[in-house]
Protein backbone atom coordinates (compact mmCIF):
# COMPACT_ATOMS: atom_id res chain seq x y z
CA UNK A 1 0.00 0.00 0.00
CA UNK A 2 1.39 3.42 -0.92
CA UNK A 3 1.76 6.24 1.58
CA UNK A 4 -1.09 8.08 -0.15
CA UNK A 5 -3.38 5.05 0.07
CA UNK A 6 -2.42 4.59 3.73
CA UNK A 7 -3.21 8.24 4.47
CA UNK A 8 -6.59 7.97 2.79
CA UNK A 9 -7.37 4.81 4.77
CA UNK A 10 -6.28 6.39 8.07
CA UNK A 11 -8.43 9.48 7.48
CA UNK A 12 -11.43 7.26 6.77
CA UNK A 13 -10.76 5.28 9.97
CA UNK A 14 -10.31 8.25 12.30
CA UNK A 15 -13.01 10.43 10.74
CA UNK A 16 -15.70 9.40 13.26
CA UNK A 17 -13.32 10.16 16.17
CA UNK A 18 -12.70 13.71 15.00
CA UNK A 19 -15.26 16.34 15.85
CA UNK A 20 -15.66 17.44 12.23
CA UNK A 21 -18.66 18.28 10.13
CA UNK A 22 -17.01 16.55 7.20
CA UNK A 23 -13.85 15.37 5.51
CA UNK A 24 -13.67 16.40 1.87
CA UNK A 25 -11.17 14.99 -0.59
CA UNK A 26 -10.47 18.07 -2.69
CA UNK A 27 -7.80 16.43 -4.85
CA UNK A 28 -6.14 13.05 -5.07
CA UNK A 29 -3.63 14.08 -2.40
CA UNK A 30 -5.49 16.84 -0.52
CA UNK A 31 -8.26 16.88 2.06
CA UNK A 32 -10.22 19.52 3.95
CA UNK A 33 -11.41 18.82 7.48
CA UNK A 34 -14.41 21.06 8.05
CA UNK A 35 -15.04 22.07 11.67
CA UNK A 36 -17.61 24.39 13.17
CA UNK A 37 -17.00 28.15 13.39
CA UNK A 38 -15.56 28.30 9.86
CA UNK A 39 -12.46 26.37 10.83
CA UNK A 40 -11.08 24.33 7.92
CA UNK A 41 -7.87 22.32 8.21
CA UNK A 42 -6.26 21.59 4.86
CA UNK A 43 -4.12 18.45 4.63
CA UNK A 44 -1.76 17.81 1.73
CA UNK A 45 0.07 14.54 1.16
CA UNK A 46 3.60 15.27 -0.03
CA UNK A 47 4.95 11.97 -1.34
CA UNK A 48 8.43 13.31 -2.16
CA UNK A 49 8.87 14.61 1.40
CA UNK A 50 7.04 11.61 2.93
CA UNK A 51 4.84 13.83 5.03
CA UNK A 52 1.44 15.34 5.49
CA UNK A 53 1.30 19.12 5.68
CA UNK A 54 -1.51 20.61 7.75
CA UNK A 55 -2.58 24.22 7.27
CA UNK A 56 -5.27 26.41 8.79
CA UNK A 57 -6.03 30.11 8.53
CA UNK A 58 -5.82 31.94 11.83
CA UNK A 59 -6.93 35.43 10.90
CA UNK A 60 -5.40 38.88 10.79
CA UNK A 61 -4.22 41.07 13.67
CA UNK A 62 -5.60 44.53 14.29
CA UNK A 63 -3.57 47.11 12.31
CA UNK A 64 -2.16 48.72 15.47
CA UNK A 65 -0.85 45.32 16.71
CA UNK A 66 0.27 44.02 13.32
CA UNK A 67 4.03 44.50 13.72
CA UNK A 68 4.14 43.11 17.24
CA UNK A 69 1.98 40.14 16.23
CA UNK A 70 4.20 39.35 13.24
CA UNK A 71 7.31 39.58 15.43
CA UNK A 72 5.70 37.29 18.00
CA UNK A 73 4.77 34.74 15.37
CA UNK A 74 8.31 34.76 13.96
CA UNK A 75 9.68 34.13 17.45
CA UNK A 76 7.15 31.33 17.98
CA UNK A 77 8.02 29.70 14.65
CA UNK A 78 11.71 29.67 15.55
CA UNK A 79 10.92 27.48 18.56
CA UNK A 80 9.90 24.42 16.54
CA UNK A 81 11.59 22.02 18.96
CA UNK A 82 9.34 23.36 21.75
CA UNK A 83 6.15 23.71 19.68
CA UNK A 84 6.05 20.24 18.17
CA UNK A 85 7.04 21.66 14.80
CA UNK A 86 4.11 24.08 14.49
CA UNK A 87 5.01 27.25 12.65
CA UNK A 88 3.15 30.36 11.59
CA UNK A 89 3.40 32.03 8.19
CA UNK A 90 1.76 34.86 6.29
CA UNK A 91 -0.52 33.91 3.43
CA UNK A 92 0.47 37.15 1.69
CA UNK A 93 2.07 40.44 2.76
CA UNK A 94 -0.19 41.96 5.45
CA UNK A 95 -2.56 39.04 4.94
CA UNK A 96 -3.91 36.20 6.98
CA UNK A 97 -1.69 34.28 9.37
CA UNK A 98 -1.57 30.54 8.70
CA UNK A 99 -0.61 27.77 11.11
CA UNK A 100 1.37 24.92 9.52
CA UNK A 101 2.61 21.51 10.62
CA UNK A 102 4.46 18.73 8.79
CA UNK A 103 3.75 15.20 10.03
CA UNK A 104 5.92 12.45 8.62
CA UNK A 105 4.03 9.47 7.23
CA UNK A 106 6.56 6.74 7.98
CA UNK A 107 5.02 4.41 10.59
CA UNK A 108 2.03 6.76 10.94
CA UNK A 109 -0.95 5.16 12.66
CA UNK A 110 -4.50 6.28 13.33
CA UNK A 111 -3.94 7.20 16.97
CA UNK A 112 -0.95 9.40 16.13
CA UNK A 113 -2.76 11.07 13.23
CA UNK A 114 -5.93 11.73 15.25
CA UNK A 115 -3.90 13.11 18.17
CA UNK A 116 -1.87 15.38 15.88
CA UNK A 117 -5.03 16.70 14.20
CA UNK A 118 -6.82 17.30 17.52
CA UNK A 119 -3.82 19.14 18.99
CA UNK A 120 -3.32 21.14 15.79
CA UNK A 121 -6.97 22.26 15.88
CA UNK A 122 -6.83 23.11 19.60
CA UNK A 123 -3.73 25.23 19.03
CA UNK A 124 -5.34 26.96 16.04
CA UNK A 125 -8.45 27.79 18.07
CA UNK A 126 -6.31 29.40 20.76
CA UNK A 127 -4.37 31.49 18.23
CA UNK A 128 -7.63 32.49 16.53
CA UNK A 129 -9.06 33.71 19.84
CA UNK A 130 -5.95 35.78 20.53
CA UNK A 131 -6.04 37.28 17.03
CA UNK A 132 -9.76 38.02 17.35
CA UNK A 133 -8.93 40.05 20.46
CA UNK A 134 -6.62 42.23 18.37
CA UNK A 135 -3.28 40.49 18.17
CA UNK A 136 -0.46 38.81 20.04
CA UNK A 137 2.47 40.37 21.85
CA UNK A 138 5.90 38.97 22.60
CA UNK A 139 5.24 39.50 26.30
CA UNK A 140 2.24 37.15 26.09
CA UNK A 141 4.46 34.43 24.64
CA UNK A 142 7.36 35.14 27.03
CA UNK A 143 5.10 35.05 30.12
CA UNK A 144 4.59 31.32 29.79
CA UNK A 145 7.00 28.42 29.94
CA UNK A 146 4.77 26.69 27.42
CA UNK A 147 5.69 29.05 24.51
CA UNK A 148 2.22 29.97 23.40
CA UNK A 149 -1.05 28.12 22.98
CA UNK A 150 -0.87 24.52 24.05
CA UNK A 151 2.91 24.64 23.38
CA UNK A 152 2.20 23.24 19.95
CA UNK A 153 1.63 19.63 19.05
CA UNK A 154 2.19 16.67 21.34
CA UNK A 155 1.84 13.22 19.82
Amino acid sequence: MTSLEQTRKLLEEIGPQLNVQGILEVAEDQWALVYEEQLIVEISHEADRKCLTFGVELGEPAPEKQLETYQSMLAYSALGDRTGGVRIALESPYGCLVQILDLFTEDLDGVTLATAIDNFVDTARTWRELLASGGISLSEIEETDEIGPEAGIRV
Side-chain angles (χ1 to χ4, degrees):
M1 182 178 305
T2 68
S3 176
L4 178 60
E5 292 168 336
Q6 179 68 15
T7 299
R8 187 177 289 115
K9 180 182 174 198
L10 287 174
L11 284 170
E12 289 172 4
E13 287 176 9
I14 68 169
Q17 299 171 37
L18 302 173
N19 188 22
V20 295
Q21 292 180 358
I23 299 176
L24 308 172
E25 189 167 350
V26 295
E28 181 183 38
D29 59 354
Q30 296 179 344
W31 297 266
L33 308 182
V34 181
Y35 288 82
E36 70 286 344
E37 65 212 42
Q38 303 301 315
L39 181 69
I40 299 173
V41 175
E42 297 173 359
I43 300 177
S44 297
H45 180 271
E46 299 187 35
D48 56 330
R49 293 181 52 225
K50 298 180 181 173
C51 74
L52 298 175
T53 299
F54 300 174
V56 64
E57 290 185 356
L58 300 176
E60 298 178 23
E64 65 276 4
K65 285 196 89 174
Q66 196 172 54
L67 179 60
E68 190 172 18
T69 297
Y70 292 163
Q71 290 171 332
S72 300
M73 296 295 85
L74 283 171
Y76 178 83
S77 292
L79 300 169
D81 59 327
R82 295 177 61 192
T83 66
V86 172
R87 57 198 189 279
I88 310 292
L90 274 173
E91 199 171 59
S92 64
Y94 306 105
C96 184
L97 288 162
V98 180
Q99 178 180 292
I100 303 166
L101 172 71
D102 293 326
L103 182 66
F104 294 98
T105 55
E106 188 172 341
D107 299 323
L108 184 63
D109 61 35
V111 172
T112 302
L113 180 57
T115 300
I117 291 170
D118 285 343
N119 291 342
F120 185 79
V121 169
D122 288 345
T123 301
R125 284 185 173 134
T126 303
W127 284 130
R128 289 170 68 122
E129 288 174 19
L130 289 169
L131 284 168
S133 70
I136 301 159
S137 69
L138 283 171
S139 61
E140 290 170 322
I141 290 177
E142 291 168 350
E143 286 174 7
T144 177
D145 290 334
E146 293 296 314
I147 313 299
E150 309 300 321
I153 306 300
R154 292 194 173 93
V155 185

